[in-house]
Amino acid sequence: RRHTRYISVTGVQTCALPIYTLWNTAIMVFLYLVFNIFMLGLLHYILDENLNKKLAHETEHLEKAFKIVNGEFKIVNNSELEERDLNKVTDDPFYLQIYSLNGMIWLQSKSMKGIVLPIDFPKTDKKTYFKDLKSNKEHIRIAYTKMYNKNGKVAGIMQLGTSDSLLNEFIRKTIFFNVVSFPIVLLLIFAVSIFLAKKSYMPINKIINLANEISATNLNKRLEYYADPDDELGRLKDTLNNLFDRLEIGRASCRERV
């Protein structure tokens, strides 16, 4: 004896639609977070590069004001040291410190009140090296520049720093805005996911409804939804409609014979 199993198609969308929506939401949230992390990293890199260019430009001018002769540090142009940002704590100050290879401090700018720059010797082949540090609760971007004597040998290090507190404050505000706005973004993503899921399942729902409506005496209905004839839904639509055509023709032939 042969047993026939009937599978209901009415409940296909019931479990598939929420799963599809959740997957869509998870993927979109992941892409949103990746995008934000990438943009924050890019923003930090661009702002750091701008500070580096600013420090490098100022360093080029300051290098002309000093020279090292026989191990002695000499100032040859005082005008470069008279800049306001080197002598007072302004909104955008410069912190200048020059020292020998044995750690002897040759010069400190007047703007370094309460600021301590560690005497450091970067191990790099580059003439100028950039580094971030924190001194007296202030974030500082520092350019370490090697100073050469007349024989072309490194005789000292010039540190030139500037505050990057505004940069860090801007990044903190950007992160805070992203955290505060995340629930709203999540709701929007979820709403878009539901819309896309329903739109994606619309042709499948039409197939389900049509399959439930068709019977042996009712074969004149066809699938009607827009789909590219070259994609899966388009080919499925054409295949089922062709099948229904053949069934209807076959039924008509049977009636003629009878």
Side-chain angles (χ1 to χ4, degrees), residues 10-251:
T10 56
V12 171
Q13 61 176 325
T14 306
C15 61
L17 187 61
I19 293 173
Y20 185 83
T21 302
L22 290 175
W23 269 108
N24 256 356
T25 302
I27 291 172
M28 292 174 72
V29 168
F30 174 75
L31 292 176
Y32 172 79
L33 293 175
V34 170
F35 174 78
N36 273 275
I37 292 171
F38 171 78
M39 290 305 298
L40 282 173
L42 181 62
L43 177 64
H44 195 283
Y45 172 78
I46 291 173
L47 293 176
D48 270 350
E49 283 299 303
N50 286 335
L51 283 179
N52 292 348
K53 289 178 181 178
K54 175 183 174 182
L55 290 170
H57 177 75
E58 189 66 23
T59 297
E60 287 178 5
H61 288 285
L62 289 172
E63 282 183 307
K64 300 174 184 177
F66 317 116
K67 67 178 182 180
I68 300 174
V69 180
N70 297 325
E72 293 185 7
F73 175 78
K74 294 184 179 181
I75 299 174
V76 295
N77 185 359
N78 275 312
S79 62
E80 293 291 345
L81 298 176
E82 293 173 358
E83 288 189 26
R84 184 169 178 268
D85 291 334
L86 286 171
N87 290 280
K88 293 183 179 180
V89 180
T90 61
D91 293 334
D92 192 20
F94 282 114
Y95 308 113
L96 176 64
Q97 181 170 267
I98 302 175
Y99 51 88
S100 66
L101 295 182
N102 59 14
M104 178 184 295
I105 297 177
W106 284 332
L107 178 69
Q108 280 186 334
S109 63
K110 295 178 181 178
S111 58
M112 286 185 58
K113 292 180 180 179
I115 300 296
V116 178
L117 299 182
I119 294 176
D120 196 6
F121 303 92
K123 296 180 180 179
T124 176
D125 295 330
K126 296 180 180 179
K127 180 182 177 182
T128 303
Y129 168 80
F130 299 95
K131 183 180 179 181
D132 289 316
L133 63 85
K134 190 174 182 181
S135 178
N136 195 23
K137 298 182 179 180
E138 184 169 3
H139 294 273
I140 301 173
R141 183 74 172 172
I142 295 181
Y144 293 81
T145 303
K146 296 175 182 178
M147 300 182 68
Y148 299 89
N149 57 25
K150 63 179 183 179
N151 297 322
K153 294 183 178 181
V154 178
I157 301 291
M158 176 168 61
Q159 288 177 321
L160 182 66
T162 188
S163 174
D164 65 352
S165 296
L166 292 177
L167 180 152
N168 285 280
E169 182 65 22
F170 179 75
I171 291 177
R172 279 196 297 270
K173 287 182 178 179
T174 303
I175 294 174
F176 176 76
F177 172 78
N178 278 282
V179 171
V180 171
S181 62
F182 182 72
I184 299 173
V185 173
L186 185 60
L187 288 175
L188 290 175
I189 289 175
F190 188 68
V192 171
S193 296
I194 292 175
F195 171 76
L196 292 175
K198 288 184 176 180
K199 187 176 181 180
S200 299
Y201 273 83
M202 189 180 298
I204 298 175
N205 290 333
K206 288 186 176 182
I207 294 172
I208 292 171
N209 294 332
L210 182 61
N212 289 326
E213 291 175 9
I214 286 179
S215 63
T217 57
N218 181 20
L219 292 172
N220 60 347
K221 292 194 175 184
R222 299 294 182 268
L223 291 170
E224 295 180 1
Y225 61 82
Y226 174 77
D228 189 336
D230 294 327
D231 66 17
E232 288 77 5
L233 288 174
R235 294 202 302 271
L236 178 60
K237 170 188 171 184
D238 294 339
T239 300
L240 290 175
N241 283 340
N242 290 334
L243 173 63
F244 298 148
D245 287 340
R246 291 195 298 271
L247 289 173
E248 190 171 19
I249 292 171
R251 187 188 67 174

